[in-house]
């Protein structure tokens, strides 16, 4: 048998041959949206801190105060060491924002998806999820043991045909989608999904990771999960829903029961961010209008959120363009499989309330100068 490291090295080389080997880059965050990469100051379009709250003085002060008051760690899981008062505060804020009876905060969005999906369905049940759903929804579905089928992106006709063909063979059915797709920036027909769910006796769940703080329209989903690590500029995941749902999570959700609670300073930062989100709706408007400006200047389809992909298809070209943009002073993520489907590698631009028009015009000039858009898939 070959040594472990030899097996692993071969796997890494195989990934490299396909242009898919990854390595985190050393990045020093400066005053957002700037960052220092390889000694060079760049304008970053990689941050999910859409409202620019992660460096906001009120968020920093709230977090520092909680650190001094309560210490650095939660010291055990929420059911073991008890529910910190900051949890009551953040869960009250979340359920009020989402118009649900109750809310529950998890260690991360990933843990929330693992925990809620596996708590509500099992091997007797069916999950139907949008084909482009985030990896942690898929992982949660696998963990639950339910049968998983994917419908074409936003395609209600396909979803209906899957429901017609399969719904009756299963006990419960869970339909899942994202409110804003993390790599495409587009949004699903939530009302149609909700109607289909009702018609076929299914439950609807949404992942609002990239929608929290940006969109406030009422969401008809029974289960609304999301994260505090994007626009809330802190860390942690959450699930909003009925009292029964939330109590079930505290009883049956293994990623909640068997993982340590969030550090108080992290929750305090989220509490402060959610308050700013509510008090300053102009931040969301600014972030969205920045994305809209970018699309207008490049003649791209209208932005539906703060996320704008430029699909270049090939891994190689995407890496080349990202490297050239880096050279020109812009930090943009090159997104490749398995994060996105094969042959849809892309640059993912994320816009925040802190980008200036001038910075956006500058990156647009950079893109236009090289003529890459001719290669784009759209
Ligand atoms: C980022 C993300 C998550 C995971 O949230 P974390 O808090 O970062 O673990 C879940 N779903 C979607 C759609 C995401 O983009």
């Amino acid at each position: 048998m070959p040594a472990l490291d030899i097996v692993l090295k071969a796997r890494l080389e195989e990934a490299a041959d396909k242009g898919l080997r990854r390595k985190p880059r050393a990045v020093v965050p400066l005053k957002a949206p700037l960052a220092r990469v390889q000694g060079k100051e760049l304008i970053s379009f990689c941050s999910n801190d859409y409202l620019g709250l992660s460096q906001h003085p009120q968020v920093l002060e709230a977090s520092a105060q909680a650190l001094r008051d309560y210490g650095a760690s939660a010291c055990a899981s929420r059911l073991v060491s008890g529910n910190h008062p900051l949890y009551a505060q953040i869960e009250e804020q979340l359920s009020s924002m989402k118009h649900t009876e109750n809310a529950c905060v998890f260690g991360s969005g990933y843990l929330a998806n693992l925990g809620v999906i596996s708590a509500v369905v099992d091997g007797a049940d069916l999950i139907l999820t949008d084909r482009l759903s985030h990896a942690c929804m898929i992982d949660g579905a696998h963990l639950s043991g339910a049968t998983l089928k994917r419908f074409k992106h936003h395609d209600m006709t396909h979803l209906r045909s899957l429901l017609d063909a399969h719904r009756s063979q299963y006990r419960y059915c869970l339909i899942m989608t994202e409110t804003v797709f993390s790599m495409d920036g587009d949004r699903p027909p939530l009302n149609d999904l909700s109607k289909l769910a009702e018609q076929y006796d299914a439950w609807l769940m949404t992942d609002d990771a990239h929608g929290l703080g940006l969109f406030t329209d009422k969401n008809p989903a029974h289960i609304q999960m999301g994260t505090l690590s994007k626009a809330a500029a802190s860390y942690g995941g959450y699930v909003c829903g009925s009292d029964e749902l939330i109590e079930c999570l505290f009883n049956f959700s293994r990623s909640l029961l068997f993982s340590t609670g969030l550090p108080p300073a992290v929750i305090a930062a989220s509490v402060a961010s959610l308050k700013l989100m509510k008090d300053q709706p102009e931040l969301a408007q600014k972030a969205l209008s920045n994305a809209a400006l970018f699309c207008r200047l490049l003649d791209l389809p209208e932005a539906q959120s703060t996320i704008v992909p430029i699909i270049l298809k090939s891994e190689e070209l995407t890496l080349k363009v990202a490297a050239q943009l880096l050279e020109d002073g812009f930090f943009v993520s090159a997104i490749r499989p398995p994060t996105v489907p094969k042959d849809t590698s892309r640059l993912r631009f994320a816009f925040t309330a802190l980008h200036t028009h001038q910075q956006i015009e500058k990156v647009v000039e950079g893109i236009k100068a090289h003529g890459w858009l001719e290669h784009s898939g759209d």
Side-chain angles (χ1 to χ4, degrees):
M1 193 177 84
L4 173 65
D5 289 347
I6 300 210
V7 173
L8 299 182
K9 188 156 176 262
R11 258 170 71 187
L12 289 168
E13 278 162 7
E14 196 186 324
D17 286 346
K18 295 183 189 149
L20 297 177
R21 188 163 176 176
R22 300 147 173 237
K23 219 177 210 172
R25 216 182 266 284
V27 175
V28 184
L30 305 173
K31 188 170 161 21
L34 303 180
R36 190 178 299 118
V37 182
Q38 288 159 10
K40 205 172 146 160
E41 191 175 299
L42 305 175
I43 304 168
S44 172
F45 295 93
C46 299
S47 170
N48 296 325
D49 175 17
Y50 300 119
L51 306 181
L53 297 177
S54 81
Q55 298 174 348
H56 193 286
Q58 285 177 30
V59 175
L60 302 187
E61 184 44 40
S63 190
Q65 191 61 45
L67 183 63
R68 286 190 293 265
D69 288 349
Y70 305 122
S73 172
C75 303
S77 77
R78 296 182 63 180
L79 283 160
V80 171
S81 62
N83 213 14
H84 195 281
L86 283 165
Y87 271 115
Q89 219 174 321
I90 185 87
E91 286 167 352
E92 162 60 33
Q93 281 172 305
L94 284 166
S95 52
S96 142
M97 278 174 90
K98 300 283 174 180
H99 312 285
T100 56
E101 282 177 358
N102 216 329
C104 171
V105 167
F106 284 70
S108 71
Y110 192 108
L111 290 173
N113 265 330
L114 291 191
V116 67
I117 298 168
S118 60
V120 299
V121 290
D122 67 24
D125 306 320
L126 174 65
I127 296 177
L128 298 172
T129 195
D130 189 285
R131 196 170 69 84
L132 299 186
S133 297
H134 193 267
C136 61
M137 302 168 82
I138 305 300
D139 293 352
H142 288 154
L143 183 65
S144 75
T147 299
L148 171 65
K149 296 185 188 294
R150 302 181 199 220
F151 56 92
K152 290 183 199 150
H153 190 46
H154 298 331
D155 187 335
M156 295 302 103
T157 311
H158 188 220
L159 174 58
R160 183 187 286 278
S161 74
L162 289 175
L163 284 161
D164 279 331
H166 305 288
R167 172 68 189 94
S168 62
Q169 291 126 58
Y170 296 90
R171 181 184 55 176
Y172 308 134
C173 176
L174 181 65
I175 299 173
M176 306 195 300
T177 192
E178 294 177 27
T179 58
V180 174
F181 276 77
S182 60
M183 296 299 143
D184 295 81
D186 58 350
R187 309 184 65 208
L190 273 189
N191 288 330
D192 296 343
L193 282 159
S194 169
K195 273 186 219 142
L196 273 183
E198 192 171 336
Q199 194 181 338
Y200 285 84
D201 198 15
W203 301 320
L204 180 62
M205 168 172 158
T206 52
D207 179 331
D208 194 31
H210 299 273
L212 181 78
L214 292 157
F215 300 104
T216 50
D217 19 336
K218 195 153 166 20
N219 182 336
H222 307 92
I223 303 172
Q224 300 183 43
M225 72 73 59
T227 176
L228 297 165
S229 31
K230 284 157 186 165
S234 174
Y235 200 67
Y238 65 83
V239 173
C240 291
S242 65
D243 286 331
E244 289 79 6
L245 173 68
I246 302 308
E247 194 170 351
C248 272
L249 297 179
F250 278 107
N251 282 277
F252 309 124
S253 198
R254 294 169 66 86
S255 63
L256 180 67
L257 300 182
F258 302 113
S259 187
T260 300
L262 286 166
V266 168
I267 311 177
S270 297
V271 169
S273 285
L274 293 197
K275 190 162 180 308
L276 286 161
M277 243 174 221
K278 195 169 148 199
D279 295 347
Q280 301 186 22
E282 64 276 13
L283 293 176
Q285 283 322 309
K286 182 74 186 357
L288 292 167
S289 74
N290 278 340
L293 173 66
F294 178 78
C295 290
R296 247 192 340 271
L297 293 175
L298 280 175
D299 276 327
L300 297 171
E302 202 178 325
Q304 293 183 41
S305 67
T306 52
I307 302 162
V308 179
I310 294 185
I311 297 174
L312 297 167
K313 298 182 185 164
S314 101
E315 284 80 59
E316 219 183 347
L317 179 64
T318 305
L319 287 176
K320 201 179 109 195
V321 174
Q324 183 62 55
L325 284 170
L326 201 75
E327 221 23 57
D328 297 346
F330 310 107
F331 188 26
V332 180
S333 10
I335 308 282
R336 294 165 284 163
T339 310
V340 291
K342 212 166 149 302
D343 298 324
T344 70
S345 286
R346 66 196 66 190
L347 299 172
R348 175 186 184 272
F349 289 85
F351 295 91
T352 74
L354 300 180
H355 285 109
T356 63
H357 282 190
Q358 201 196 0
Q359 288 168 332
I360 293 165
E361 281 156 13
K362 231 166 115 183
V363 75
V364 164
E365 272 166 39
I367 294 166
K368 281 186 172 165
H370 295 285
W372 295 305
L373 273 182
E374 278 89 88
H375 301 275
S376 131
D378 307 313

